[in-house]
Each structure stands twice: as structure tokens, then as C-alpha cells.
């Protein structure tokens, strides 16, 4: 919330400076990375690491392993596209489940009960501790772990060093909880759930009961996700994006179902925007406002300035409502 307030204060400062003829240097935005993935507000209800804008969004589950080069391939090549198209837009959450043990009935890595090595449970438990204790630091840690895969025997001391390298806070608490086996049941549950979903290799993406290997062609996995979301989801997301403007954009719209404010597409929550039943009235400066709704848009009005996105796709506002 502090960042959002700062953005609005910067906007007010910019407008004032412009009126006085004072130039303010612009700042180029950095490329969005996995470490910047949004985290739902209600993390206490989420046992496993989840990126998303709302805990109630449809959720896909990624089964992977922190030592698996194929999981690394997906994380480093396709995950950012999934994040940008579906997670940021509020269409879907993505939950990560680290396989530390062979799913029941599978022997994809030999006769051992461990998925790849005896270090897998230790790595997975520390990762769950990072999510439990410092959820806002988790995706930076996750990204770092796949930048360069760990190998061989991995100790708790090694994992504490990895947490430190990723700037994760409260590292000693995370390690102590992992050493006390607080996450042992959750790690074993992942193997059981993977077996129930028919998962025998990593990475595997599960959504609405279907599974696929997500580390091949980017367009293939994006189309696979889109087809499953479109057949099951009744929620839509609209974003009024004023991030490229230097003035206010006013808007109002009406939906035939329900509507609520959302952080989709890295939007802020503005208390001055109002929702009355199915009617919304608001304004946006150089930031974004997002809403999720059911039903259809029956009316949509907006002044010039902001770009409009419906379910992550830029649209002509004159075609809405």
C-alpha cells in the first residue's frame, strides 16, 4: 500500500511541477521477472507457494523439483509468459509443489523413495518455510534457486546461504521450523497429490483435472491454459491502465453480475473508487485500476488517456457495453 500511495504522490508532484514549468526526469520501468510475481493477500490460507492477485482465482498447480533441469527450463523460459498473460491479469493463480518423494505407484527415478536425491525433502521443507514465514520474499528465492540448480548433498546450512543470497528475511526461523519437521507432512502430501493427479515426471502443470508438460513451446502451453480457463471460468477482469498518462482518466461502468476491486495486472486498490451494487465509478492517474466481475459489461464510459484491457487483452472501449 505504501508503494501505491507513493505513486499517487509522485503523480500529484508531477502535475504540480508541470504547471510550474519544471521538468521531472522519467524513470524506465524494469522488465517484470518471476521474483516480482504478485502474492495474494490471504497467504495464511495457502499452504503452498502461490503467485496471484486473489486467493479465490482459479489455480493451476506446477509440480516441479529444485534439482530438475526440465523444471528449470520451464521456470527460465515459459513461466514469465504464463505470469504475464494469466497471473498478472487475475485470470489464474499458479501454485508450486516441489516433489521430494516419488508419487505412489511410480518409479521414474529408480527404486529410491526420493524423487531425485535424499536432499529433496530438506530443500522442499526449507522452501515451504520461506513461503510460510516470508511469502513476499518467496518468488525471489524461487527464481534464484532455478538460476543455478543445486547439486549433490544439500545441507540446512547450504539452504540458509541460499536464503541469504535471495535476501529472504527471518532465515533462522525458516531453518528452525524445517529442522523441526513442521513441513514434513506437507512435503509428503505433495507426493500423494501428485500421484492422484497422475503426475510421474517434472515439470507437470495441472489445471482443472488435466495435466501437461509445460516446458516445451511457449505458445503451446499458453494455448493449453487458455482453453481450460475459458471452458471453466465465469469471472472476467477489466483493467483501466493509466500508467502512460500524465493526467486523470475518469471512468464508469455497469455489469450484469457482481463486481469487486482487484490487484490484477499489478493494479492498486483506490479507496476513492466506488462500487454501488453492479455500478462502478472511479478515476485513475499514472497507475492501474482493476476489477473482476461476473456476467457482462452492460455499460462502459471512459475519458481519453488510459488503455483498457479485458482479461489481459487490450480492447477498444467503444466496443464495450
Amino acid at each position: 500500500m505504501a508503494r501505491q500511495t507513493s505513486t499517487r504522490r509522485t503523480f500529484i508532484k508531477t502535475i504540480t511541477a508541470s504547471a510550474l514549468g519544471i521538468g521531472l526526469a522519467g524513470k524506465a520501468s524494469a522488465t517484470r521477472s518471476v521474483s516480482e510475481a504478485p502474492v495474494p493477500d490471504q497467504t495464511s490460507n495457502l499452504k503452498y507457494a502461490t503467485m496471484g492477485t486473489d486467493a479465490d482465482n482459479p489455480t493451476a498447480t506446477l509440480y516441479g523439483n529444485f534439482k530438475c533441469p526440465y523444471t528449470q527450463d520451464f521456470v527460465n523460459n515459459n513461466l514469465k509468459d504464463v505470469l504475464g498473460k494469466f497471473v498478472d491479469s487475475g485470470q489464474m493463480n499458479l501454485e508450486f509443489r516441489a516433489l521430494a518423494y516419488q508419487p505412489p505407484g511410480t518409479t521414474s527415478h529408480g527404486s529410491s523413495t526420493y524423487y531425485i536425491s535424499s536432499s529433496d525433502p530438506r530443500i522442499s521443507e526449507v522452501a515451504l518455510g520461506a513461503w510460510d514465514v516470508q511469502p513476499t520474499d518467496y518468488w525471489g528465492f524461487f527464481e534464484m534457486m532455478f538460476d543455478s540448480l543445486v547439486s549433490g548433498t544439500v545441507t540446512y546450512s547450504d539452504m540458509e546461504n541460499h536464503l541469504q543470497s535471495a535476501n529472504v528475511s527471518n532465515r533462522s526461523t525458516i531453518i528452525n521450523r524445517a529442522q523441526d519437521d513442521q513441513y514434513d507432512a506437507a512435503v509428503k502430501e505433495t507426493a500423494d497429490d501428485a500421484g492422484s493427479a497422475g503426475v510421474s515426471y517434472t515439470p507437470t502443470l495441472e489445471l482443472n483435472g488435466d495435466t501437461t508438460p509445460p516446458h516445451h513451446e511457449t505458445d503451446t502451453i499458453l494455448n493449453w491454459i487458455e482453453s481450460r480457463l475459458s471452458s471453466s471460468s465465469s469471472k472476467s477482469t477489466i483493467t483501466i491502465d493509466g500508467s502512460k498518462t500524465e493526467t486523470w482518466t475518469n471512468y464508469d461502468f455497469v455489469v450484469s453480475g457482481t463486481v469487486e476491486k482487484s490487484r490484477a495486472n499489478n493494479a492498486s486498490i483506490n479507496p476513492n473508487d466506488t462500487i454501488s451494487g453492479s455500478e462502478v465509478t472511479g478515476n485513475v492517474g499514472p497507475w492501474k485500476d482493476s476489477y473482476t466481475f461476473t456476467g457482462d459489461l452492460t455499460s462502459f464510459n471512459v475519458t481519453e488517456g488510459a488503455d483498457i484491457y479485458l482479461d489481459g487483452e487490450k480492447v477498444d472501449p467503444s466496443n464495450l457495453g
Side-chain angles (χ1 to χ4, degrees), residues 179-190:
Q179 288 179 316
D180 290 343
D181 294 329
Q182 291 193 28
Y183 308 108
D184 181 61
V187 170
K188 291 177 179 176
E189 182 180 62
T190 289

Side-chain angles (χ1 to χ4, degrees), residues 77-98:
N77 293 301
N78 289 348
L79 179 53
K80 191 180 297 185
D81 293 283
V82 173
L83 166 63
K85 184 172 178 62
F86 298 110
V87 178
D88 276 342
S89 66
Q91 296 182 70
M92 182 186 83
N93 294 341
L94 183 71
E95 172 192 70
F96 179 66
R97 306 283 293 270

Side-chain angles (χ1 to χ4, degrees), residues 51 53-54 56-61 81-95 205-210 212 220-237 293 310-313:
M51 60 171 68
T53 61
D54 190 314
D56 294 330
N57 290 340
T59 299
T61 299
D81 293 283
V82 173
L83 166 63
K85 184 172 178 62
F86 298 110
V87 178
D88 276 342
S89 66
Q91 296 182 70
M92 182 186 83
N93 294 341
L94 183 71
E95 172 192 70
L205 189 67
E206 183 275 329
L207 179 60
N208 292 329
D210 294 334
T212 191
T220 299
I221 185 59
L222 295 180
N223 291 336
W224 185 89
I225 293 171
E226 187 165 38
S227 66
R228 278 145 189 84
L229 286 176
S230 62
S231 64
S232 64
S233 177
S234 59
K235 270 191 176 183
S236 297
T237 300
F293 65 93
L310 183 62
D311 292 333
E313 299 292 333

Side-chain angles (χ1 to χ4, degrees), residues 3-216:
R3 184 182 67 182
Q4 296 153 9
T5 302
S6 175
T7 300
R8 291 187 173 88
R9 286 176 180 168
T10 301
F11 171 54
I12 298 299
K13 182 178 179 182
T14 302
I15 292 296
T16 303
S18 176
L20 296 174
I22 302 172
L24 295 177
K27 190 173 183 180
S29 59
T31 301
R32 190 167 178 80
S33 67
V34 172
S35 65
E36 299 172 300
V39 174
D41 291 336
Q42 311 94 321
T43 56
S44 60
N45 299 324
L46 301 170
K47 184 188 299 186
Y48 298 98
T50 302
M51 60 171 68
T53 61
D54 190 314
D56 294 330
N57 290 340
T59 299
T61 299
L62 173 66
Y63 290 94
N65 180 280
F66 284 107
K67 283 188 167 187
C68 171
Y70 302 107
T71 304
Q72 181 188 43
D73 184 22
F74 169 73
V75 171
N76 292 342
N77 293 301
N78 289 348
L79 179 53
K80 191 180 297 185
D81 293 283
V82 173
L83 166 63
K85 184 172 178 62
F86 298 110
V87 178
D88 276 342
S89 66
Q91 296 182 70
M92 182 186 83
N93 294 341
L94 183 71
E95 172 192 70
F96 179 66
R97 306 283 293 270
L99 268 179
Y101 300 100
Q102 294 280 352
T106 65
T107 56
S108 59
H109 289 82
S111 59
S112 172
T113 59
Y114 302 116
Y115 191 71
I116 290 180
S117 77
S118 60
S119 296
D120 287 348
R122 188 177 304 117
I123 298 168
S124 298
E125 288 172 19
V126 171
L128 281 172
W131 171 253
D132 181 30
V133 177
Q134 291 294 138
T136 55
D137 293 343
Y138 179 85
W139 292 109
F141 162 76
F142 174 92
E143 185 176 57
M144 187 216 68
M145 288 290 288
F146 284 106
D147 280 343
S148 180
L149 293 182
V150 296
S151 61
T153 300
V154 181
T155 66
Y156 284 115
S157 178
D158 293 331
M159 289 305 298
E160 187 164 11
N161 289 336
H162 291 310
L163 292 169
Q164 183 174 7
S165 296
N167 296 316
V168 178
S169 303
N170 294 314
R171 294 181 291 275
S172 59
T173 299
I174 293 167
I175 296 298
N176 289 338
R177 291 187 182 184
Q179 288 179 316
D180 290 343
D181 294 329
Q182 291 193 28
Y183 308 108
D184 181 61
V187 170
K188 291 177 179 176
E189 182 180 62
T190 289
D192 291 338
D193 289 348
S196 297
V199 175
S200 60
Y201 54 83
T202 55
T204 294
L205 189 67
E206 183 275 329
L207 179 60
N208 292 329
D210 294 334
T211 60
T212 191
H215 57 294
H216 298 303

